[in-house]
Amino acid sequence: MNEVVIKPSLREQFLQGWAQCRVIFFSAPCGFGKSTAATALLSNHKTCVFSAEDPEFLREPVPKNVDAIVIDSLPALKDPEDQQTLCAWIRENPELHFVILSRGVLPGWLMPFRFTGLLQLIKARDLLFDRDTVRVFLEKNGCTPTEAEINVIIHDSLGYPLALTALSRLMQNGQPYTPEIVGIVQQEIYHYFEDNIFNRFSMPLRRMLLDIAPFDTFDAELAQMISGDSHINELISIVRHDTTMLLNADAQKYRFWSFFQQFLMWELRQVYTPQEQAAVYSRAGLYYELHEDYEHALECYSRCKDHRRVSEMLIRNAEQHPGVGHYYEMEKYYYAIPKEEILRSPSLMCGMSMLTSLCMDYEASEMWYSALQEYAAPLKKTDTAYKEVRGKLAYLDISLPQRSSKGIAENIGNYFKILTDKSLQTPTFSVTSMLPSLMNGGKDFCSWSKHDELLYKTIRKPMEAILGKDGIGFADCALCESKFEKGEDDLPWLMTLVAQLPEIERHGTPDMTFAIIGLMARAQTKQGNAIMALSSLDSLRTEFEEDNKRFLPNIDAMRCRIWLRTGEMEKAEQWYRTSAPPDHAAHPYHVALPVYNACHG
């Protein structure tokens, strides 16, 4: 029998509840020691203990000559009449305390007592042992851990009472804390969960839990796609209300309590065949792919060894300009492809040339560019691959970050000739990379400002043809931005852009809309109308929230810059704490696709 130790802060919390409330409600998963703690804390009081699994006690008179009524297993109290009877007991017996133990959350029918200050809620985190409590508990139960061992025990157990109880039996008589002991404790916990929680669920609920166990967060849609169960919301509701194993990650997503997720993964490996496990990851990969969460999609496809899907996604991504591609999320998967396989695919060679360039490994970028040239060398114009490869080489000539803007005018002419040959294939091209700028978007075109009006007249048509939808409004926006950057009169061009904006929004691209709104916001700020500029960005953000979420980080960065101008430091600090990108030195190619660039005009 283990010696019971109560954490001082828990004792203080209980005594405060005893002095101020009628109800003390313990809400925590299995193994947190709710019953043990309640029994120890009530040791100096007369109590009467009932279990909600046998609600017949509610048909009897309220017990007399006791200080507290203890009710265990509250989620079993399903009958609304029984629930109202218990509420009546609490209301009509102010001299009594009610100590209620539940593996579930505080139910709605008891919430009025919480709102009126009559109910003290003790949660799982309140029951976890702290460092001092761990030391005292182990020493009282015959263990002699060192300070170093206590540090590791706290890290591994998170102060979970069930784990520490199992551990105390294994570390008696001077036994050290070893990996073997950790394995034994894990197995004991898993078997305990299996008998006391998992096997009590219905078969559909067990299946659903195992299907979503591998995922750190999930929503009902993911759970339904993996399990195929049309009653998924009902199953999730049961877990949420009858246990505290499922936590809210945000308004729409859930996550498991960490120990329970580890148990479910152990159970998954016991119950599912390798083929069934692969099917779970395959269906999840499809879900993530449909939601354009390519990082998680690739992770799932890799786990189920679906190399065909991985290659297809990487090739499709390589067809995108880095402004709309997902090079950051897919980086490790590109580098994991065998070199021989990349050399067989023009799309992958093109993608690797762009990726390594974004990583500032220009030597590797030029190596892959040369490999693509070598691939093209023996091809004849009648070969299908010739059209694809020639288009990709021309694309890289213009879009690779290390290519100087000085030679791009000539390359644009060549690219335009390729584009007019309808039989040739060219990748998607963008000059903004989702940034609110044309002069300094995907590439630095600032040197063109010296001859902006000449270039406007000479390469306007080829550029608009190359850019397609991105070309709608492109030339006017570029010239206006050039005038703005040089401090010249940009008002006539701004007025032209404002008049063109509805047409651009209908027939152009979000990239160009953002570039124009961003330029207008900068001009408004310069003119002293920062509030108007902020309003323009706020409206754009609202418009983009549904279908163009990839722009939101850069829009927020621009808003932060204006907050700094208007003295709204709390908003700026909040952005910095929660949304600012990490040090770009850790990911050098962020220089080409930086969120923070939006803050630098």
Side-chain angles (χ1 to χ4, degrees):
M1 184 70 179
N2 287 93
E3 289 284 336
V4 177
V5 175
I6 300 297
K7 185 170 64 171
S9 60
L10 174 61
R11 184 181 297 279
E12 181 180 348
Q13 189 177 5
F14 182 87
L15 292 175
Q16 182 182 7
W18 186 269
Q20 299 176 358
C21 305
R22 295 186 200 173
V23 183
I24 301 177
F25 191 96
F26 287 80
S27 172
C30 186
F32 268 76
K34 298 181 292 295
S35 299
T36 301
T39 300
L41 291 166
L42 290 166
S43 59
N44 294 326
H45 298 280
K46 293 181 181 180
T47 62
C48 188
V49 181
F50 298 107
S51 172
E53 293 179 343
D54 182 14
E56 288 301 314
F57 72 91
L58 291 168
R59 318 283 189 269
E60 304 295 330
V62 178
K64 303 295 183 183
N65 301 318
V66 295
D67 300 320
I69 295 175
V70 180
I71 302 173
D72 199 0
S73 305
L74 187 73
L77 200 66
K78 302 290 187 183
D79 190 323
E81 290 188 13
D82 291 337
Q83 296 169 0
Q84 292 309 309
T85 299
L86 179 56
C87 289
W89 278 21
I90 297 171
R91 285 193 302 269
E92 296 167 6
N93 295 276
E95 76 284 358
L96 281 177
H97 283 89
F98 291 80
V99 178
I100 302 176
L101 315 179
S102 174
R103 293 179 181 176
V105 297
L106 180 67
W109 52 275
L110 282 177
M111 203 66 76
F113 297 106
R114 174 73 167 163
F115 292 152
T116 55
L118 298 178
L119 185 147
Q120 171 87 346
L121 180 61
I122 296 177
K123 297 183 179 180
R125 64 173 177 268
D126 303 315
L127 294 161
L128 291 173
F129 285 6
D130 57 21
R131 181 187 178 84
D132 291 338
T133 308
V134 168
R135 181 193 293 106
V136 171
F137 177 78
L138 291 175
E139 289 176 351
K140 280 197 171 185
N141 284 282
C143 308
T144 56
T146 65
E147 288 300 309
E149 285 178 325
I150 289 177
N151 288 337
V152 181
I153 290 169
I154 284 287
H155 176 272
D156 292 346
S157 70
L158 303 177
Y160 180 41
L162 179 61
L164 293 165
T165 300
L167 182 63
S168 67
R169 296 197 305 271
L170 298 169
M171 287 187 64
Q172 290 179 356
N173 304 317
Q175 289 295 319
Y177 186 68
T178 64
E180 290 74 21
I181 284 181
V182 172
I184 294 171
V185 170
Q186 285 180 334
Q187 290 298 309
E188 288 189 12
I189 291 174
Y190 294 162
H191 287 298
Y192 182 85
F193 282 176
E194 191 173 48
D195 293 337
N196 290 274
I197 303 175
F198 192 72
N199 288 342
R200 298 186 181 188
F201 291 140
S202 66
M203 287 303 297
L205 183 49
R206 290 188 219 174
R207 187 85 184 182
M208 184 269 287
L209 291 172
L210 294 182
D211 283 344
I212 58 180
F215 309 103
D216 290 336
T217 62
F218 64 93
D219 57 16
E221 186 181 356
L222 172 60
Q224 184 167 352
M225 177 168 275
I226 297 175
S227 67
D229 195 320
S230 59
H231 301 95
I232 205 72
N233 285 305
E234 297 173 25
L235 298 177
I236 290 176
S237 180
I238 291 172
V239 181
R240 288 187 64 205
H241 292 95
D242 290 358
T243 79
T244 46
M245 299 295 190
L246 197 58
L247 311 173
N248 282 95
D250 59 35
Q252 300 294 328
K253 293 188 176 183
Y254 311 99
R255 61 182 177 86
F256 287 113
W257 174 54
S258 58
F259 271 103
F260 190 58
Q261 185 179 23
Q262 293 170 23
F263 157 73
L264 289 175
M265 289 302 297
W266 174 80
E267 188 75 18
L268 175 72
R269 292 188 287 269
Q270 313 302 311
V271 176
Y272 281 15
T273 65
Q275 293 76 20
E276 289 174 322
Q277 293 180 48
V280 167
Y281 286 112
S282 180
R283 291 192 290 269
L286 178 59
Y287 166 85
Y288 287 124
E289 186 176 358
L290 291 173
H291 286 74
E292 298 184 358
D293 186 346
Y294 298 114
E295 182 178 9
H296 285 104
L298 283 168
E299 181 181 353
C300 289
Y301 288 146
S302 297
R303 283 180 175 271
C304 65
K305 296 180 171 55
D306 192 340
H307 301 300
R308 180 183 63 82
R309 287 266 181 95
V310 171
S311 293
E312 286 177 354
M313 285 189 64
L314 294 177
I315 289 172
R316 283 203 307 273
N317 187 70
E319 297 287 344
Q320 300 289 324
H321 180 269
V324 294
H326 298 266
Y327 285 88
Y328 172 68
E329 300 95 322
M330 298 183 176
E331 178 185 2
K332 66 179 180 181
Y333 299 101
Y334 276 109
Y335 283 119
I337 304 173
K339 184 176 180 180
E340 305 75 38
E341 184 176 339
I342 297 174
L343 292 172
R344 290 194 295 267
S345 169
S347 291
L348 289 177
M349 282 186 278
C350 180
M352 287 301 294
S353 180
M354 178 58 69
L355 173 63
T356 50
S357 178
L358 296 175
C359 291
M360 289 186 174
D361 187 352
Y362 299 137
E363 183 178 350
S365 176
E366 294 299 336
M367 183 272 289
W368 287 116
Y369 179 87
S370 298
L372 189 58
Q373 282 183 315
E374 291 174 12
Y375 187 96
L379 298 176
K380 300 176 181 178
K381 289 187 177 181
T382 54
D383 294 336
T384 304
Y386 173 84
K387 304 169 184 178
E388 176 188 358
V389 176
R390 188 181 173 199
K392 292 185 185 304
L393 287 169
Y395 159 77
L396 290 173
D397 284 334
I398 296 176
S399 60
L400 282 176
Q402 71 266 26
R403 293 287 199 267
S404 170
S405 61
K406 293 180 180 179
I408 287 184
E410 181 181 348
N411 287 331
I412 285 174
N414 296 331
Y415 198 83
F416 180 61
K417 293 176 184 177
I418 291 174
L419 197 69
T420 56
D421 183 348
K422 300 298 183 182
S423 64
L424 295 182
Q425 304 170 17
T426 56
T428 304
F429 188 86
S430 170
V431 292
T432 68
S433 294
M434 295 187 295
L435 297 178
S437 174
L438 298 181
M439 302 302 294
N440 192 16
K443 295 179 73 69
D444 182 2
F445 288 101
C446 292
S447 61
W448 287 22
S449 289
K450 297 176 182 178
H451 314 289
D452 51 17
E453 293 194 26
L454 175 62
L455 291 170
Y456 179 81
K457 294 174 182 177
T458 56
I459 65 171
R460 174 183 179 180
K461 288 186 177 180
M463 279 299 292
E464 290 181 346
I466 288 171
L467 297 175
K469 288 186 175 183
D470 250 338
I472 301 176
F474 163 80
D476 292 310
C477 184
L479 184 56
C480 181
E481 185 175 355
S482 176
K483 300 297 183 185
F484 172 82
E485 293 289 355
K486 292 190 295 184
E488 297 179 3
D489 183 15
D490 56 13
L491 184 59
W493 297 100
L494 276 173
M495 298 301 293
T496 300
L497 285 177
V498 171
Q500 289 183 351
L501 193 54
E503 174 73 9
I504 294 168
E505 290 176 330
R506 282 197 302 270
H507 302 294
T509 64
D511 304 67
M512 193 55 58
T513 299
F514 182 33
I516 293 171
I517 296 294
L519 176 58
M520 291 170 58
R522 289 156 62 197
Q524 289 167 339
T525 303
K526 182 180 178 181
Q527 295 164 4
N529 294 324
I531 301 300
M532 185 181 298
L534 188 59
S535 177
S536 300
L537 290 171
D538 289 343
S539 297
L540 184 67
R541 194 187 196 286
T542 301
E543 181 183 337
F544 276 12
E545 277 180 344
E546 187 66 29
D547 299 320
N548 295 294
K549 292 182 179 179
R550 67 184 188 275
F551 292 93
L552 300 186
N554 280 338
I555 294 175
D556 288 341
M558 282 203 77
R559 293 163 77 212
C560 180
R561 182 183 181 185
I562 298 176
W563 290 331
L564 292 172
R565 289 286 190 95
T566 57
E568 297 179 82
M569 304 306 294
E570 288 187 9
K571 291 182 178 180
E573 185 178 349
Q574 174 71 13
W575 175 87
Y576 181 78
R577 286 199 309 266
T578 62
S579 303
D583 181 5
H584 68 276
H587 301 287
Y589 62 88
H590 282 186
V591 172
L593 293 174
V595 170
Y596 67 84
N597 262 5
C599 273
H600 296 285

